[in-house]
Amino acid sequence: MVFNSFEFLWLFPIVFCVYYLITSWKVVVRQFPKIGNFFLIAISYGLYIKWKPVYALILLGVTAITYFAALLIEKEKVYGHKRYLIWCGIILAILPLAVFKYYNFLNDTLIALLERVNLEVGLPGLNWVMPLGISFFSFQAVGYLADVYLQRIKAEHDWWNYMLFICFFPQIASGPISKAKDLLPQIKSQRVFRYEQAVQGLKWILWGMFLKVVIADQLGLLVDEVYSNYQHFSGSQCFGRSIMYSFQIYCDFAGYSYMAVGVGELFGFELINNFRRPYLSQSVTEFWHRWHISLSIWLKDYIYIPLGGSRCSVIKNYWNILVTFLISGLWHGANWTFILWGVFHGIFQIIEKHIGINKINSKGILKVCRVLMTFLVVSFLWILFRMPTIHDAFCFVHKIITDFDAHLGLGAYIILFLPVIAKDIIDEFNINSLNFFHHKYAFVRYTTYIVLLLLLVMFGVFDGSHFIYASF
Amino acid sequence: MEAILFMQVSDLRKFIFKAGSFVLCFFLIQHVLGMTLDKLNELTQYNDNGRNRYIRDSINSEIVLLGSSRCYHHFNPQVFEDSLNLSCYNCGERRMGILFMYDRLKTILKRHVPQVVIYEITPDYDLFSESDNSVYIKDLRPYYWKDNMAKEIIDSISSTEKYKLLSRLYGYNGKVVDVIEALFSRQADYNKGQSPKLGSINIETIPSGTENEKEYDSLKLYYINKLIDDCNENNIKLVFTSAPLLGEKHGNVFDKFAKLCVDKNVPFLNHYFDVSISLRPSMYSDAVHLNKIGSDRYSAIIASELKKIIKDEN
């Protein structure tokens, strides 16, 4: 169920009402205390099967592999055997992801390399659509397995609880990547409907929808116009559109994440919030503490720290940072542009760490300068993210540098950025009087909701657009 | 447990009641706003909205030019009027194809039957399959409940639009700024509906490509055939054209369409690969649109060919 679809508009209220009808029915709940969870599993798998039936088997397969592997690991006493089991579990869980996402990339790279030495050898390409959310649920499952192995949590013995943990529909398409210690206790507990939590959920959904269909999708139309034909636009216009893309990807992904959090809240779950005003970061290091937070935590806990983290020599630490962000780039896509994007993010963080700037929290005008600098660096790196090839990305940047004048082509389109920038600043500095979503006067709150909904209806792009991060 | 379940039910009732009331209130507000925009839309005379109203309600020219922005920017009606001695109006629309243009023609035919219809074919908008045809219904939405053809086209593209259009305001999705802007600004007169592009493209080398045929969209093909049939029924001389694309020298992009035109006995004046224009950047304002110099030249070529066709038939 795509959150910005018409189907969501009519189907979700039905799902919501049925869920609370059956979980409020005393007779049913006494007989089947877990009826709510079964219902959510049925809905989650139903939606996945509706999208592509056979891929639900992959979801089920990854769930089963990691479930049983965790049980075996917990039962096993010999350390060597535990290591063997964890590696088997990880490889089997990651295998579908590797095949669907990276087979063609590896094949094409191999063919290109062999062609350089005049060898024409290669396997046939795969023309398979990638299973929805495979990068997310695979990482979530592997994270659980690693936590059991490292004895941070106990293995989940209830199959149905674990199944819901992996397949929970609000987060399956584009995250957040939940930790077992956060989500499993909520699945196992008796959740009750709480009015304040449900209202907060609706606010998240409204704001997320606004970011996605009004801001991100409108910006997307403008960005596509130039990025697909950049040779015919000036460097300044290319730069202007790269700024737009920075906001497009933020509003697209944050919009989805907020909607996922909102839907989770409506069912009584507290999912991790993936964004904390990332473009107000003072450094690239801080950016990764505010952008796609769940992925950053996953990479830190399961890649960076196991490699040694910062508890090693300086050179080894820098190496660990580089490897972590190389994997981050690879996770985002099977293309050299994503890998280079990840590597550059790693390099910038290494530089910041070397200078020591990552630990400094500036104030005043220096803070503003650092925020703007970080935004520019991140925006330039997003060019790699957006372009189909490294060559195109470098040509695009070259155009910006060599053909730059004052005419950025932003003009009235700046109005699209303003709501996002304003809300982020209000939240960052806790300016309660301007926080219309949580204003003390009901009139202000309700007016805000109505204005946002009207803007959604008047300006929202509903022409079948997809979430950028859903393609990962 | 009993206490928890009881609390949940009363909280839930309160939530559903408040949410339901809010939705009702919002529905009323958006309905009033939608009605207001309807009235404002009827009042506009200028800008794109005014031009659209003129085409829908008042046009009476003998030659009607239809197509995407490659009609809107390319065809100079004055050139046709001077050459053929018939009044002419450019009804092209940016980013629109046959799915919109067919409704435009049907609306015109309700009041007036032109002698000639010239349709500028743009492969991506008029022939080829795209991921989603919903992009073509933006300008049809305000007329869903008033125009049966608009309703038919919208329903054939999307089965859910009829539910979305229960919202009066949704009919103006993406058009609110146009409606309000038309009340305050006075755009300079179009050149009988045309908006010529000025300036020349700034490129170092002419892009070279071979545009190849892609899969045809069955719905677009259906309405192309309907267009042909309606013109035949009304004794309208229909001619398809295709303007030169920058850098294009050859390709098979129109093979299937050209065969359709032969089968249906409709002239197709294909200048897509006309190197006398396509290899001259000075005639282009961007990669896909001719500037005023190029559009006047192209209009003259088409007018001359059309004149010959009409003369041969007589």
Side-chain angles (χ1 to χ4, degrees):
Chain A
M1 187 170 13
V2 178
F3 294 144
N4 62 329
S5 67
F6 184 69
E7 185 187 53
F8 175 77
L9 203 62
W10 65 265
L11 185 59
F12 180 72
I14 296 172
V15 169
F16 173 83
C17 289
V18 171
Y19 175 78
Y20 281 107
L21 190 70
I22 56 177
T23 54
S24 304
W25 204 346
K26 290 179 216 173
V27 170
V28 172
V29 172
R30 268 198 217 109
Q31 280 284 97
F32 307 103
K34 294 286 181 65
I35 185 81
N37 286 355
F38 290 137
F39 178 75
L40 290 174
I41 290 170
I43 293 295
S44 301
Y45 266 85
L47 291 169
Y48 209 89
I49 287 166
K50 182 175 168 287
W51 174 70
K52 231 168 184 64
V54 70
Y55 285 174
L57 292 174
I58 293 170
L59 175 61
L60 188 63
V62 169
T63 306
I65 286 165
T66 47
Y67 172 76
F68 288 112
L71 290 175
L72 289 172
I73 287 168
E74 191 175 64
K75 208 173 165 183
E76 183 56 58
K77 302 297 174 204
V78 177
Y79 177 69
H81 294 168
K82 269 183 186 298
R83 273 182 74 91
Y84 174 76
L85 283 167
I86 181 77
W87 278 112
C88 281
I90 289 173
I91 288 167
L92 287 172
I94 294 290
L95 193 61
L97 173 65
V99 169
F100 280 96
K101 196 164 177 177
Y102 301 107
Y103 175 87
N104 281 336
F105 170 62
L106 290 170
N107 190 36
D108 293 344
T109 305
L110 183 69
I111 288 172
L113 279 171
L114 291 173
E115 273 175 1
R116 283 176 185 255
V117 292
N118 295 321
L119 279 171
E120 282 183 28
V121 175
L123 296 164
L126 285 181
N127 197 20
W128 298 345
V129 171
M130 217 165 61
L132 183 70
I134 191 168
S135 302
F136 292 91
F137 68 71
S138 298
F139 266 37
Q140 186 154 312
V142 166
Y144 162 77
L145 204 58
D147 282 343
V148 171
Y149 171 75
L150 294 167
Q151 295 179 345
R152 289 174 184 161
I153 57 167
K154 291 210 171 303
E156 178 54 50
H157 287 254
D158 187 321
W159 160 257
W160 301 110
N161 286 343
Y162 184 70
M163 198 178 183
L164 181 58
F165 168 67
I166 298 296
C167 74
F168 189 37
F169 76 90
Q171 61 173 29
I172 196 165
S174 296
I177 303 170
S178 293
K179 282 233 179 200
K181 70 171 176 60
D182 297 325
L183 189 54
L184 271 172
Q186 296 184 68
I187 288 171
K188 287 151 83 155
S189 68
Q190 190 70 30
R191 297 176 303 280
V192 291
F193 179 86
R194 285 187 291 127
Y195 178 81
E196 291 76 21
Q197 187 181 25
V199 168
Q200 181 55 47
L202 285 181
K203 289 179 191 178
W204 279 124
I205 292 172
L206 176 60
W207 181 242
M209 189 87 77
F210 177 79
L211 288 183
K212 166 61 182 166
V213 301
V214 177
I215 299 180
D217 289 346
Q218 289 283 4
L219 287 173
L221 297 173
L222 299 165
V223 166
D224 288 347
E225 192 187 345
V226 171
Y227 268 73
S228 58
N229 224 357
Y230 65 90
Q231 302 91 336
H232 301 134
F233 291 89
S234 71
S236 312
Q237 287 172 312
C238 290
F239 178 70
R241 292 308 199 257
S242 69
I243 302 295
M244 284 188 190
Y245 182 67
S246 300
F247 281 95
Q248 180 199 347
I249 192 168
Y250 172 40
C251 293
D252 190 284
F253 193 18
Y256 174 89
S257 290
Y258 293 148
M259 283 193 268
V261 167
V263 169
E265 298 255 29
L266 282 166
F267 287 110
F269 291 93
E270 305 254 359
L271 298 178
I272 181 173
N273 194 346
N274 249 344
F275 292 87
R276 198 167 51 88
R277 307 169 290 280
Y279 290 150
L280 294 178
S281 305
Q282 296 189 43
S283 62
V284 174
T285 310
E286 189 185 353
F287 175 79
W288 281 99
H289 291 136
R290 291 168 174 257
W291 175 278
H292 203 173
I293 294 168
S294 64
L295 178 69
S296 297
I297 291 172
W298 195 98
L299 289 168
K300 182 190 77 168
D301 287 350
Y302 306 117
I303 305 288
Y304 181 66
I305 288 175
L307 283 174
S310 56
R311 296 183 183 185
C312 50
S313 68
V314 168
I315 299 296
K316 180 75 170 43
N317 179 220
Y318 294 167
W319 171 253
N320 294 341
I321 292 171
L322 200 61
V323 168
T324 302
F325 279 90
L326 190 141
I327 291 172
S328 171
L330 202 57
W331 179 88
H332 279 87
N335 192 321
W336 287 107
T337 52
F338 294 110
I339 293 171
L340 197 60
W341 170 82
V343 165
F344 270 122
H345 269 274
I347 288 171
F348 273 103
Q349 289 184 74
I350 290 168
I351 293 169
E352 284 169 0
K353 191 154 188 158
H354 191 72
I355 299 171
I357 207 168
N358 58 318
K359 291 196 191 305
I360 299 171
N361 193 14
S362 303
K363 302 256 183 260
I365 196 79
L366 187 59
K367 179 176 182 173
V368 173
C369 290
R370 285 185 66 189
V371 165
L372 285 171
M373 250 341 274
T374 306
F375 177 74
L376 278 172
V377 166
V378 167
S379 295
F380 266 93
L381 292 178
W382 281 135
I383 294 170
L384 273 166
F385 206 81
R386 175 67 175 73
M387 281 302 193
T389 66
I390 293 176
H391 173 76
D392 281 311
F394 278 119
C395 286
F396 193 90
V397 172
H398 182 258
K399 209 169 204 321
I400 291 173
I401 294 168
T402 56
D403 184 19
F404 192 86
D405 57 40
H407 301 109
L408 302 182
L410 289 175
Y413 298 128
I414 287 180
I415 206 167
L416 287 169
F417 308 159
L418 289 181
V420 186
I421 296 171
K423 177 115 180 22
D424 276 2
I425 289 173
I426 288 166
D427 289 342
E428 182 79 2
F429 297 104
N430 290 316
I431 310 171
N432 292 328
S433 57
L434 294 177
N435 193 341
F436 300 137
F437 266 111
H438 301 102
H439 207 270
K440 57 183 178 181
Y441 296 120
F443 172 74
V444 173
R445 295 197 307 271
Y446 280 97
T447 305
T448 305
Y449 308 151
I450 287 177
V451 166
L452 283 176
L453 276 169
L454 288 174
L455 290 172
L456 251 166
V457 174
M458 290 191 290
F459 299 108
V461 177
F462 297 103
D463 300 332
S465 67
H466 300 288
F467 292 98
I468 294 172
Y469 263 72
S471 54
F472 304 147
Chain B
M1 178 79 148
E2 302 262 342
I4 289 169
L5 288 173
F6 174 72
M7 191 167 65
Q8 170 167 290
V9 169
S10 70
D11 257 10
L12 193 55
R13 273 203 210 114
K14 178 183 167 190
F15 176 79
I16 290 173
F17 177 75
K18 278 198 162 183
S21 307
F22 177 82
V23 166
L24 195 64
C25 182
F26 173 74
F27 191 79
L28 288 170
I29 292 172
Q30 64 80 36
H31 192 80
V32 167
L33 266 174
M35 281 170 59
T36 307
L37 285 168
D38 276 342
K39 278 276 168 263
L40 292 176
N41 199 28
E42 283 166 22
L43 292 173
T44 56
Q45 297 173 53
Y46 301 98
N47 285 13
D48 290 346
N49 265 34
R51 175 176 174 272
N52 187 40
R53 275 193 59 230
Y54 171 77
I55 292 169
R56 289 189 77 89
D57 301 336
S58 311
I59 194 172
N60 59 1
S61 53
E62 284 139 341
I63 302 174
V64 163
L65 308 166
L66 297 174
S68 67
S69 57
R70 281 165 59 78
C71 167
Y72 179 69
H73 295 303
H74 289 181
F75 282 137
N76 183 346
Q78 192 61 54
V79 170
F80 289 93
E81 287 188 353
D82 294 342
S83 175
L84 296 155
N85 225 17
L86 295 170
S87 57
C88 179
Y89 197 87
N90 188 321
C91 301
E93 201 64 58
R94 288 162 293 188
R95 294 194 195 129
M96 287 295 150
I98 185 65
L99 296 174
F100 173 80
M101 282 299 149
Y102 182 73
D103 172 76
R104 180 154 272 188
L105 179 66
K106 290 296 276 188
T107 309
I108 293 171
L109 289 178
K110 279 181 193 168
R111 295 177 301 99
H112 163 72
V113 179
Q115 286 189 37
V116 179
V117 167
I118 301 174
Y119 195 108
E120 169 72 26
I121 284 280
T122 305
D124 286 334
Y125 294 161
D126 296 311
L127 303 173
F128 298 152
S129 283
E130 290 174 287
S131 56
D132 188 359
N133 282 329
S134 301
V135 293
Y136 300 114
I137 56 178
K138 184 184 94 167
D139 288 348
L140 291 178
R141 282 193 190 113
Y143 305 102
Y144 183 83
W145 299 110
K146 303 171 198 169
D147 176 352
N148 285 335
M149 184 47 59
K151 186 175 188 301
E152 179 192 308
I153 293 172
I154 290 173
D155 287 345
S156 64
I157 290 170
S158 166
S159 55
T160 58
E161 282 295 308
K162 59 174 163 283
Y163 303 112
K164 295 180 200 171
L165 284 164
L166 288 172
S167 158
R168 198 82 175 248
L169 188 60
Y170 178 72
Y172 289 92
N173 176 267
K175 292 189 68 62
V176 174
V177 172
D178 294 341
V179 172
I180 294 170
E181 201 180 37
L183 293 171
F184 297 105
S185 67
R186 300 284 188 265
Q187 183 169 331
D189 288 343
Y190 293 93
N191 174 25
K192 297 177 198 270
Q194 184 207 16
S195 178
K197 279 204 168 233
L198 304 172
S200 296
I201 190 170
N202 183 16
I203 49 168
E204 288 160 13
T205 52
I206 299 170
S208 67
T210 303
E211 188 94 0
N212 289 322
E213 204 163 54
K214 299 175 200 165
E215 191 191 331
Y216 276 45
D217 184 296
S218 58
L219 191 64
K220 290 175 184 175
L221 214 53
Y222 170 73
Y223 281 107
I224 290 265
N225 279 296
K226 280 195 89 166
L227 182 92
I228 295 171
D229 294 341
D230 284 356
C231 287
N232 281 339
E233 273 173 31
N234 288 279
N235 285 323
I236 298 170
K237 182 70 209 163
L238 173 65
V239 171
F240 287 112
T241 62
S242 193
L245 192 69
L246 179 63
E248 291 298 323
K249 288 180 272 201
H250 52 79
N252 64 350
V253 67
F254 285 117
D255 282 3
K256 189 174 168 182
F257 180 71
K259 188 175 178 308
L260 170 74
C261 291
V262 166
D263 292 343
K264 295 271 186 167
N265 199 24
V266 176
F268 176 32
L269 309 177
N270 184 5
H271 289 268
Y272 205 73
F273 307 104
D274 186 343
V275 295
S276 70
I277 296 178
S278 70
L279 298 183
R280 296 169 71 171
S282 60
M283 291 204 181
Y284 285 84
S285 65
D286 58 53
V288 295
H289 297 112
L290 297 165
N291 57 20
K292 179 136 185 15
I293 300 167
S295 63
D296 285 351
R297 166 93 188 250
Y298 175 58
S299 300
I301 293 172
I302 296 298
S304 159
E305 290 180 3
L306 180 59
K307 193 171 182 179
K308 192 170 179 298
I309 289 170
I310 293 172
K311 191 178 170 191
D312 288 346
E313 282 183 3
N314 292 340

